[in-house]
Amino acid sequence: MSFNTKKYKEEAEKNRKHNLSEEPSMFNMISLAILATFAPTRIFLRMHKKHIENKATIEEKSGNFEQIPVIYLHGFRGGDYTTAVMVKQACKDKGNDKYLKVTADLLGNFKLEGTWTGDKNPIVQVVFRQRIIGIYGIDYYLSFVLPFLAKRYHFTRYNAVAHSLACPCVVRTEMKNYRNKNFPHLKTCSFIAGPFDGVTYLGDIPNVNILTKKGRPSVINPHYFYFLFRRKRFNPNISVLNIYGNILDNTNTDKFISVISAKSIRYILAPNAHSYHEVEVRGKKYAEHSWMHDNPFVINIVDKFIGLKK
């Protein structure tokens, strides 16, 4: 497995600085994130007049088949650079370098760039403009971004590839809309470094929580309780891939997410899912939280799981 961490770090930082120059102010991000966090205050976001900047093209379908896009989602403080390497490799594995980039803000505005391809699995990269946002904020993003895309591009199912905080949000969104026929639903979901039962030192102290014999965490946070009481709402036709990291120090974490927190979702999803697979990535060079999404070993597993690569 070849992974040049020094080169990656330099390139990631270069891309991050480039994107920071184009993002909203800190006041904008935090104030809108607060409004998005609480349901009663979201009405102020919906009052804003929506704008769609459409620079994207749509290819005609190349046959009579159902289109199931692969949608890439980043987490807290992420951006297009978070999923850029995954998207690039997915296009390469699929044999088509075109993809759709969707930038959304919390006011409901969209910027569409690139191409919605005419094959079975269009690649879609979603970017949250207000990126400093918690789990409820990402929930809110998904509540309007996914139906917007489904209506515009005529799909009912999608494959999700999520990193970090986007992982639990994908599960929450599916559970909340399990009876909603007008909402797109998961076919497969690939989770990378997902915090399903807390973040290290923010309610999850390393080596304190353990899994019971049945696989349930002994210490449960409010978000995990949400999953626990709604676990039967997860559609049994969904296939799940859960990839998590362990940097092999004395914390049993990927530096930010504990192995226990990442593995805890198995107890919720595995009994009902069509299939459930777990992969632990080990080592300081390969398993660090902010590097895993660019790890070629991880990307290879994800693309094979989705079906983009044999």
Side-chain angles (χ1 to χ4, degrees):
M1 178 171 57
S2 175
F3 187 51
N4 190 328
T5 56
K6 182 178 179 181
K7 182 179 179 182
Y8 159 73
K9 191 173 183 180
E10 291 173 351
E11 187 65 25
E13 188 62 22
K14 177 182 176 182
N15 291 336
R16 182 175 180 274
K17 288 180 178 179
H18 172 73
N19 284 275
L20 290 179
S21 66
E22 301 175 355
E23 72 177 15
S25 67
M26 187 64 68
F27 174 79
N28 175 284
M29 286 195 286
I30 293 176
S31 60
L32 294 189
I34 292 172
L35 292 177
T37 298
F38 304 101
T41 58
R42 290 173 182 170
I43 188 173
F44 297 108
L45 299 174
R46 297 189 186 103
M47 291 171 62
H48 184 270
K49 186 177 180 180
K50 308 297 186 291
H51 175 70
I52 301 173
E53 184 181 350
N54 185 15
K55 297 181 179 180
T57 58
I58 301 176
E59 292 182 347
E60 290 188 15
K61 283 175 61 175
S62 55
N64 185 22
F65 49 77
E66 177 189 10
Q67 285 191 298
I68 304 176
V70 183
I71 301 181
Y72 290 81
L73 302 161
H74 67 80
F76 176 76
R77 292 189 66 186
D80 56 2
Y81 55 88
T82 304
T83 57
V85 176
M86 290 192 290
V87 168
K88 184 178 179 180
Q89 186 60 48
C91 292
K92 184 178 179 179
D93 289 339
K94 195 177 70 164
N96 186 336
D97 62 358
K98 298 177 182 178
Y99 68 94
L100 180 71
K101 180 179 178 180
V102 180
T103 304
D105 67 23
L106 287 170
L107 297 173
N109 299 314
F110 287 90
K111 181 179 180 181
L112 307 175
E113 303 170 275
T115 304
W116 173 271
T117 57
D119 51 56
K120 291 183 179 181
N121 300 118
I123 304 297
V124 181
Q125 182 190 43
V126 173
V127 181
F128 305 135
R129 189 159 165 75
Q130 283 78 27
R131 63 191 185 89
I132 300 179
I133 195 165
I135 193 168
Y136 296 115
I138 296 179
D139 274 0
Y140 181 64
Y141 264 123
L142 297 183
S143 72
F144 67 84
V145 170
L146 291 174
F148 168 82
L149 294 175
K151 183 178 180 180
R152 191 175 188 91
Y153 298 107
H154 311 293
F155 65 88
T156 59
R157 296 190 296 165
Y158 71 103
N159 299 312
V161 179
H163 177 255
S164 192
L165 198 59
C167 299
C169 294
V170 167
V171 179
R172 288 168 60 91
T173 297
E174 185 66 30
M175 289 178 171
K176 282 191 293 186
N177 294 281
Y178 77 112
R179 286 184 176 174
N180 189 347
K181 295 181 179 179
N182 297 319
F183 202 95
H185 293 282
L186 289 167
K187 180 177 184 291
T188 71
C189 47
S190 302
F191 301 134
I192 302 171
F196 298 103
D197 189 30
V199 176
T200 306
Y201 301 112
L202 294 176
D204 184 22
I205 308 237
N207 299 316
V208 170
N209 203 359
I210 61 172
L211 297 179
T212 66
K213 290 182 179 180
K214 292 184 178 180
R216 193 179 79 174
S218 57
V219 180
I220 296 174
N221 72 5
H223 300 302
Y224 195 86
F225 269 117
Y226 183 95
F227 298 141
L228 193 61
F229 293 132
R230 293 165 178 81
R231 59 189 184 277
K232 292 185 178 180
R233 295 183 178 183
F234 197 76
N235 194 303
N237 295 319
I238 302 170
S239 295
V240 181
L241 171 64
N242 185 25
I243 303 176
Y244 56 92
N246 188 342
I247 58 175
L248 298 180
D249 63 358
N250 59 1
T251 64
N252 289 304
T253 71
D254 67 5
K255 198 174 179 180
F256 296 101
I257 310 300
S258 71
V259 170
I260 297 300
S261 179
K263 290 183 67 173
S264 65
I265 197 63
R266 182 186 186 96
Y267 180 81
I268 302 294
L269 302 185
N272 295 324
H274 178 70
S275 67
Y276 183 93
H277 307 275
E278 271 186 356
V279 178
E280 180 175 343
V281 180
R282 297 179 177 181
K284 188 175 181 180
K285 289 185 177 181
Y286 309 110
E288 200 274 332
H289 183 82
S290 300
W291 294 3
M292 281 181 64
H293 49 67
D294 284 9
N295 186 330
F297 174 72
V298 172
I299 298 172
N300 184 58
I301 294 173
V302 170
D303 287 0
K304 286 183 177 179
F305 176 73
I306 296 170
L308 298 178
K309 184 177 183 180
K310 294 183 179 180

